Every structure is written in structure tokens, then in C-alpha cells.
């Protein structure tokens, strides 16, 4: 299965599960994969920003990729994040992932690139480095500091048929999403991001789905379907029930720990631990999450733990 | 009236109203002031980050301050933001504002300060520059890039009796708020911020109130009162109705334009224009705001336009 | 006199002299102006980054501009830096400066602009804001964080006849200077910068001169003339004698204090003080400057104090 | 051999040699090592910022370390940079390097750390991660964005006997070097850096030597010896001959390519190539380097190629 521009729906960004001691927890990786599929994921993305990829060595990255791919067994496309400081490492990981059955890879421009020309040159080289893999362009300037205009995305899409998807998470990014959609029509699959905090608006603006690691992916799919069905109020009603948790998960530097806590509470992973260095949740923070979860479960029975 | 550490409740950050042509709109400044007071504001803050202060010249800054102060007529404390690249300008604005009747001034550390010692030295000099004015320390690292630890805030509070309030808007900042409260007890009035997006949690963590420019300040007061009364669920129920708009207002670089649009729709200011350079809302964005406002009004009648 | 693209030679960036107490020192401003002219300056630039412009209020900025302009009395063009957070302030300062006899204004893109399109849009608006003044584009990404490509400079030069000069101080910037010169020919006067640390290379790459505040502007002119005369070795020999001081002046955050110390030692300004907040030189630093000055004076008699 | 606080002299930062095709060039690594030793290096540092470490995979990092260590054969201490996004990778590389015979490891604080407390906590954890290896603290805020005060360095030195050396390359950093020396006496070996551009001043301020990759390490040793012998003028005379090249090597993003070009011209490495992504020198830039080298060779015969 190769990723293409018809991809739609919910692509779940998977965290990398660790034991409390910091070892890879491959059992949890498998269980989590089952849960994502059962939750209706239309695709899974590994080793993204939230996957603690830079803390894995090359072998670990391929190991967790292998476990998830075997578990998915071709039912949905799996995308592997391959951003790396050097193209050699990018190529090695992309080759390994595609050989193991990935449907495509995801690339973000390297931090520190200056000027549109340098950004385009980098992305052309990166595309060459990943061989013949279909690829997702991740537009996440909050992390990279790199700006991609609609014209730049269009230029890349016009010249590189292997570029099939845009993960659109500039912030603010809704007008940019509109501009890119207007320029490119169906040339790219466009996925929203940013933890889902603008999900209904993104879909209304023409996004083909969402790629994020929000800990209740079922809701993402339900909202997507409702918006597409023209049930705007029902979509917003459901989404708004989850907004308190979405907001809480979006705290920079802390959000992944929150998300892993919820996944652990759902029984999808065994430990909420991040690999060191990483934050630990305080008792006060855990108590706040629990209040939010309790309120959510009382209002959206499908999200009751 | 001088600001002191007993301040509590809702301090509204006032925008600076302009005409469509970019001139100061002092009529709107007066009308907006009346509206804030009627909405139950316990204080008003002028020339904050959201007040487009750097786009005003020194005379304009004093002019808008004078209009608001005369309108308030001593009913609530008025705080004036005086952050400036040089201490001379800071002193001049602080003197002018205090002479005109302000209750205190607000200072953020200058961007680019490196290391705790340099930050403390700067704030000591800034405190000296504002003479005998009570002052608010604005902790807003998303804008300044400057980190303030709980220990640094405690050090300043321990040596400077004119430091009476902390505007706590680090992000994430809830555990820091808890730490500062634990260290300082009632020594400082601590106000939350960040557009109110963590209002219930901030008050539950011990904040004395909130200082933000969210366009429905009435809600802020109601939530504050409910939390203080132990009505946690009622507080969250009300707050959650506003979260879609709070989130929409928080988009960096766009948020103030959203906020001014809502204030204009409420009839509190005549024009939603920002002084140039500044963003303009697209038709799509305005439509999204209107959907959010309609949904809010249907669910919180007190917020119906 | 209006600045145009035939400008050549040494444009001295003037500091703003203050008394030890932080007041404007207009006597020193006049004396310094005389000294610059006597040193052979082909132009003078006021209120640049090194002129502590953000620490002046609007009246002070016009005051110091007036003193220098009256002293120059039309003998060389005077350029006034007008970068400001708002276009209203930019327009007011540009109008005041041009009315008082300035030959042009200098504009840097505002920090925080994202993407080539936004940068171009900003600069078009800024050009409109300064009315009919000829203007200098300052390309100084170390300070602004904004990248300007050769294509962007060419686009602006192609559409805006009032853009007559580029202050080229990207770093590294020599290949960019070559690229811009190749694209634009004589359309723009191109001035080097960065304290002069690449002066010979910049002129060899085609720069029309240099705009910097190095404290021995006479040397800048001699090196420029030698390179233009094909005396490469003599040019480098002279330049290399000054490189120890040039390097010492380039320390970020400290350089202006070093430069003012040297200007004070030359008798051109009365006090080396920066307006607060600003660094103070330690005894060790002053001793190092004095060693460098003594060695320079022994080797370049024209630079003996 | 274990690194300790008596280390003195010139520690050469070694680049990682690649073939034009981007493969590790271990022959060059061996030849370069011989050349460094013959040039009088008192130590060698591998996998520093200039060693393109993030572009190596874990095995390559150990491979190049092994080649250099075997070649050095215990004659001087070899330090291995182990900064990494995760402590697991840091530990693995430190263990591997120490097992292979390294004398110590070098650690810089991770980019993005906020506040003195977080920086200290990170460095304590990093020190624990490298087991019982002696370590060098690299203070390089231009790259990391992290500020270390003299008090913070003193705190770490006071509690961690394995911290034996400081690579002091804050900029400006001379007064800080003085302050740290005054506080710590001989507790730490303090090495200057920043390409050597302040070498004489650093040694006069009390540095025990210099750790940098300047392509003529012989000069570094001669200047160090002259300053220590009280021959200040001779030291500066020699140093100033090299300053044009030192300055040229310091261009951010370009400097390593310049340095590798000079090392190739000296015959120490076979190719000047950086591993992709990385800059390529233009013909104009190479011509400028050659002029500088020719002038240097004519004036300092020991540096003639």
C-alpha cells in the first residue's frame, strides 16, 4: 500500500510507549495499534514530533516501526516520520520503513533554514533522499521556525508527484488552509493538526481529515463525518465537549505527558512515562486531568473510561 | 487609589480603539470603559500587549489613559502598561499615568535578557524608574523570551514592597502558579492571563483573579465567583461554553483582531480596525466567529448579542 | 539634496551622544558631526541600530537630527533611520527628518515577519509610509530575524524607484552581495556593514562603499580608495591593522559601548555613556581597548590618539 | 588517561572527514590526527559542534572515535562530544567512547531549557548519564540559546567532582571568564573557544588554553606560550597575522566549510566536503580564502602552505 492524495479521515499520531525505566515497550506499541484501529483510525503516523523520535536510536526506530506495521498488517496506511539532521539518516530510516511496509514518510523542513529558496532547496533534497517513497510535508513552524507559503507548497506539489499529503499545522493556519486548497484543489490530501483544536473549522475549510495524537481518536472521526454530512451543529456540539481536554493536551512541553496519561488511563499503553529528559506530571496536574475526563465521560458516554 | 496586593477579581485588558483610518477613537475608549465597568470589571489595564501600545506615540498614550481614567473616576483601579525600550520613556509614561490617577503600572522584562541575574537587575532598575508607583510584574515569556522562576518572583517580592501583583501567563504555567502561591502566600495578588484559557484551573490553583481582554468579561467574573463559591461544576459548565471563542481569540497575531471584532459586534467600540501594520480578518474568519457567537448566545443567554 | 543610487564611499553611522546622566548631549552631536566630515565621510546615518533610537522619544529624535543636519549644512547626504513598530511613527519621523533636510531614510523589516510575501508586503507599506523620501533597505537579519533573498531585493528595486540603496549586512553575506550586484547592476547603491569586518572583500565583490560606525572612519575611506585603485595588498595591509579593534567592537550588546569609548578617547564625544538600560565597560575591558589602541597607533600613525 | 582540571594548552576540535560522496573518510581521520599531534596539540576533541556529529549514526560516531583514539595511542587526552536529544543516546556514546579510551566527554545544555534551575537540573542529569566519565561543560549560548552564569558554573563545580573543564565560548564572554576564574580559582580548567578570535585576551584573562578547530593549531600554541611568557606584544603580533583567517572561518553556517578547505589545502584531509545538508563554497569564496592564505604565508613563514 502506497500513500496517495486520496487519503482521508483520521490519521492517528502514535506516541512511542516506554516502560517506567525508559525501555521501549513493544507490547504497548502493539496494544495501542489495535486500539487505534478499533477506534476507526484511517491511518497511523509513527515517529512524529510527539513520538519522541530524537530520543530513539536508529535500531529502536525501526523496531517500533516493525511492531506497528506487523500489527496493522496492511489494513490502513502507516506513515513514518523521518526528519533528521542529516540526509544519510533520513534515507536509512525511510528505506528501512518502506521495506518494512510503510505507506509513506513524513518530512518537516529543518530548523534554521532562512528564506523561501533555501526551504524549497532543502525539501527537494529531502525528497530525493527518501528515494521513491510517497511523502507528507509537515508544516509546523511553531517547532521548526520555518515558514511555508501557499505558493511554496504549490511549487513543490507541481514538481514532485511523490508529495501527496500536507500536514497543515501552521498557527494561525485556517486562512492558509483555505488558500492552499483553492490553489491546489485535490492535488494534495490536506490534513489538519495542532492537537485538533480547530478540527471543525479545518474540515469546513476543506481539509481531508486530521492527523493528530489526541487521545480520543474516535471523536475526531465522528466530528469529521458529521461535518462532511452537513451536520454542523452536531459536529460542534460533540467537538466542544472535548475542547477542555484538547486545550489541556496542547500545553507545550507538557502535552505529550498529558496525552500519555490519558492513553494509559484508557488501558492502551502500560506506562505514561516519557523517556528522559522529559516532564513528569504533578499530582495537581493529574487531578485536573481526572476532573476533565470525568466531566467528558459524563457528557459524551462514548468517551467514558 | 493605589493598587495593592489585595486586588481580586477581573481586571480587563483594554484594547486601544482606532477609527478605520487609524486615528485614536477616544469616544470608543470612553464607551468601552463604561461597558467594562457595567460588566463588573474590578480593574482595567491599559496599554498592555494587546493595547497596541508600541504603535502609539507618547502623547497618544497619555491621551487614551486620560480618557479612561476620567471615565472610571476612581471607581476601580486602572493599571497602565509602561514597558518600553528605555527607562527614560518608561519613567515618563509612568509619571504621566500616575499623575493622571492611575493606580499602578505594569512592567514586563525586556526581550533578550539572558540569565536570571540580568533579569532581576533589569526589573530592579525598572522598578526604580517608575518612581513610587505600585507595579505589576507581567510574566509572559511567549512574548519576551524571558524566563522568571518562582524563586525570582519571590526574591523581587521580598525586597520591593511596591511590587504588588503578578500577571502570571507563562505557558504552561499552572504548576508554576501553584509554586509561587505556596512560596508567597498573600504577599502578591496573582492574576491569571493567557486569554482566560485556563481560568477555572488558575483560580483553583489559588489565583486572585484574571487579567485578560476576553471579549465577554462578565463570564470571567461569573466563573471566578462560582469557583470561589465551591461550585466547580457550574463554573466549568459556564466556562466550557466560552472555550470555543476563547480558543479562537488566542491565535497569535490574529487574536486581537478577533477580539476587536467581537467588541465591535457588542457595540462597545466603533471599529474593529487595528492600527497598521496589523492583520485584517478574512470573510471566512468573520463567518467562523459569527458561528461561534451564535452558538454561544444560544447556550449562554447572558452572552447573546 | 536627495539620496540616489550613485552614492558611494563611507557613510558613517553616528551614535547618539548622551551625558553621563543620560540626557541628550547636543554639543557632542555637533562636534562629532564636524569630526566625521573632517574624516572624509561621504554621508552620515542617524538613528540606526547603533544610535539607540528606541530609547529616544519622538522629540529627541528630531532634535538630534536637526543638530546634525544644521551642522552638515548640505555638504553630504544625511540618512535617518525610521524603523518603528507602527507606520504612524515611521511616517511622522520620516516627514520630520525630510522637512529638516535629510537626504533619505533607512528602513529594516520588522522582526517577526514570516515568509517572503509578508516581508515584501511590509516593505511596500513602509515605503508608502515615508511618502516621497528616497530610502535605504537595511538587510540585517542578525537583529530582525528576517531573511531577504537577492530575488526579493530585486523585486523591490524593480517596482520602487525611491528604493536607492541597500545596506547589506547579512552574515555570511559576501556571496549574497555578489548575487545582488549581478542581478541589479548599478540600480542600487550597495553599502557593506557589519562594523566593517569584511570591508576589503565587500568592495572587491562590488560594494559601492560601507555604512558603519567603526570609530576610525578615515581608515574605511582609505581602504575603499585603495581597493578601487587596484592596490589590493596595500588595502589589506591597512585594513588588517584595524581588524583587532573592528573585531573587538563587534561584540553583541557590548560593541556600542566600546565604540563610544573610542570616540570619547578621540575627543569626538564628551561621554561614553549609553542611555539606560545598557552595558558599562569593566576596567579589564577598557584596559584591553587601550592595548589595542596603542598597538594600532604604533602601526598606523594616522590612527594615533 | 582521565581528563582533569590541570589540562592546559591547545585542544584541537577535530572535524569529521568525509569523502566527496559523503562517506566517512577514516584514512583522513587518521592522517589528520597525526597532523594535530605533530602541530603540538595538547588534546583532541571529537564530535563537537564542528564535527557534524548529528549527521553521524551511532556506529559511525564510535567508528571515527576508535580510529582517532588508536592513532593517538594515549599520547594526549581525547574528549568526545556526547550532546544528544536523549540521555539514553548520551549514555551509550559516553560508555562507548570511554571504553575505547577517551579521557572525558563534553556536554552542552540542550536548546530550549528555560531558567537557571532547569539548566542546572538538566546538567545534573546529563552528568549522571555519562557514568563516571570526567566531563567538559560547553558554554555556547549562540548555539544552544541557554545562558550559564558564573554562579551556575560555580554551583556545578562545587557539587560535581567529575566536572573538570569549562569550554568558555559565550559571546561576549571575556568579563564572564574573568568572573568565573575569580570565583573558581584552579577548580576547573577553563578553555577559550569561538574559533580563537579572542585568544590573547582569553589567556590574559586567565584561560588555561583554548579548544577550537582553527586550521593552524600551531599558532594557537605559540600565542598561548608567548602570553604565558609575558611576551604580550610578540603574542599579539603573531595572533594578528592570523586574525583575517580566523574572522573568515567564523562565518556562521559557512565556517566549517572554510576550515575544511584549509585543512584540505594543508593535506591533512582528502576532501573539504561536508555531509549533506551543508554549504558548498563558491569560486569567489575560495579565491578569497586563497588570498588570505597567501598573505598569511608571506607574513608568518610557519604558516606557509
Amino acid at each position: 500500500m502506497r500513500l496517495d492524495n486520496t487519503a482521508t479521515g483520521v490519521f492517528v499520531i502514535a506516541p512511542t510507549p516506554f516502560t517506567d525505566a525508559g525501555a521501549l515497550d513493544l507490547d504497548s506499541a502493539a496494544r495501542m495499534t489495535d486500539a487505534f484501529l478499533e477506534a476507526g483510525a484511517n491511518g497511523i503516523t509513527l515517529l512524529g514530533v510527539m513520538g519522541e523520535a530524537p530520543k530513539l536510536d536508529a535500531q529502536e526506530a525501526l523496531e517500533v516501526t516493525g511492531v506497528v506495521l506487523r500489527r496493522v498488517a496492511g489494513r490502513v496506511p502507516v506513515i513514518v516520520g523521518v526528519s533528521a539532521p542529516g540526509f544519510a539518516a533520513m534515507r536509512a530510516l525511510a528505506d528501512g520503513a518502506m521495506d518494512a511496509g510503510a505507506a509513506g514518510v513524513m518530512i518537516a523542513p529543518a530548523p534554521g533554514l532562512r528564506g523561501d529558496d533555501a526551504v524549497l532547496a532543502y525539501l527537494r533534497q529531502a525528497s530525493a533522499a527518501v528515494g521513491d517513497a510517497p511523502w507528507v510535508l509537515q508544516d509546523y513552524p511553531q517547532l521548526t521556525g520555518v515558514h511555508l507559503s501557499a505558493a511554496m507548497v504549490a511549487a513543490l506539489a507541481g514538481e514532485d508527484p511523490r508529495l501527496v499529503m500536507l500536514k497543515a499545522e501552521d498557527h494561525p493556519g485556517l486562512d492558509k488552509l483555505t488558500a492552499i486548497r483553492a490553489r491546489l484543489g485535490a492535488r494534495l490530501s490536506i490534513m489538519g493538526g495542532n492537537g485538533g483544536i480547530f478540527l471543525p473549522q479545518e474540515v469546513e475549510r476543506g481539509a481531508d481529515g486530521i492527523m493528530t495524537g489526541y487521545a480520543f481518536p474516535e471523536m475526531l472521526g465522528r466530528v469529521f463525518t458529521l461535518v462532511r454530512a452537513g451536520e454542523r451543529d452536531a459536529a460542534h456540539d460533540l467537538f466542544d465537549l472535548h475542547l477542555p481536554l484538547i486545550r489541556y493536551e496542547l500545553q507545550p512541553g507538557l502535552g505529550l505527558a498529558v496525552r500519555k496519561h490519558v492513553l494509559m488511563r484508557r488501558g492502551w499503553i502500560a506506562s505514561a512515562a516519557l523517556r528522559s529528559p522529559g516532564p513528569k506530571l504533578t499530582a495537581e496536574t493529574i487531578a485536573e486531568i481526572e476532573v476533565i475526563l470525568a466531566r467528558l465521560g459524563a457528557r459524551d458516554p462514548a468517551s467514558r473510561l
Side-chain angles (χ1 to χ4, degrees), chain A:
Chain A
M1 185 183 327
R2 288 172 64 84
L3 190 71
D4 65 31
N5 66 341
T6 64
T8 184
V10 178
F11 278 63
V12 176
I13 303 259
T16 301
F18 297 104
T19 66
D20 287 346
L24 271 189
D25 176 359
L26 297 175
D27 285 346
S28 285
R31 190 159 72 251
M32 168 189 86
T33 303
D34 293 344
F36 290 153
L37 292 173
E38 196 169 334
N42 303 100
I44 294 178
T45 303
L46 298 175
L47 307 182
V49 173
M50 299 300 271
E52 299 178 72
K55 299 185 203 160
L56 303 183
D57 65 31
Q59 190 187 333
E60 289 174 322
L62 287 176
E63 219 170 335
V64 72
T65 302
V67 165
V68 171
L69 280 166
R70 282 191 297 278
R71 204 75 178 192
V72 168
R75 283 174 286 174
V76 301
V78 173
I79 299 168
V80 177
V82 296
S83 297
F87 288 140
M90 192 181 289
R91 176 178 297 113
L93 181 53
D95 286 354
M98 295 303 289
D99 285 351
V105 300
M106 185 160 73
I107 301 170
L113 293 167
R114 300 164 57 214
D116 294 2
D117 292 343
V119 174
L120 290 173
Y122 177 90
L123 290 170
R124 285 172 186 132
Q125 288 183 277
S127 172
V130 300
D132 70 344
W135 66 286
V136 181
L137 171 57
Q138 183 177 23
D139 180 20
Y140 192 29
Q142 299 94 294
L143 188 83
T144 63
V146 171
H147 176 75
L148 284 166
S149 65
M152 292 165 74
V153 175
L156 289 169
E159 70 193 35
D160 185 348
R162 283 187 294 104
L163 172 57
V164 294
M165 184 183 278
L166 174 71
K167 179 159 166 44
E169 43 191 348
D170 200 352
H171 181 56
L174 292 169
D175 287 328
K176 185 164 151 184
L177 197 160
T178 296
I180 293 174
R181 182 52 89 204
R183 255 177 188 271
L184 288 179
R187 169 60 190 85
L188 290 183
S189 171
I190 303 179
M191 293 280 154
N194 276 323
I197 198 161
F198 285 107
L199 173 59
Q201 284 82 9
E202 285 168 347
V203 182
E204 289 164 11
R205 298 269 193 151
D208 297 297
I210 179 127
M211 187 189 290
T212 186
Y214 178 61
F216 288 93
E218 306 92 325
M219 178 278 291
L220 303 172
R222 290 155 67 201
V223 167
F224 177 70
T225 303
L226 286 167
V227 175
R228 282 291 173 97
E231 305 278 353
R232 176 184 263 185
D233 254 320
H236 283 254
D237 285 345
L238 172 57
F239 175 79
D240 289 355
L241 293 179
H242 285 260
L243 192 45
L245 180 57
I246 289 174
R247 164 212 57 170
Y248 206 93
E249 278 192 10
L250 264 188
Q251 298 178 78
L254 197 64
L256 176 57
V258 174
R259 197 167 279 176
K260 280 189 154 182
H261 177 84
V262 179
L263 293 175
M264 182 193 66
R265 289 279 281 101
R266 300 195 72 177
W268 295 8
I269 60 178
S271 161
L274 274 67
R275 189 171 263 192
S276 186
K280 274 200 171 48
L281 302 182
T282 61
E284 289 87 352
T285 294
I286 291 174
E288 285 169 350
I289 300 170
E290 294 296 331
V291 167
I292 294 171
L293 288 174
R295 289 179 47 82
L296 174 61
R299 285 157 183 78
D300 178 23
S303 301
R304 190 167 297 146
L305 299 191

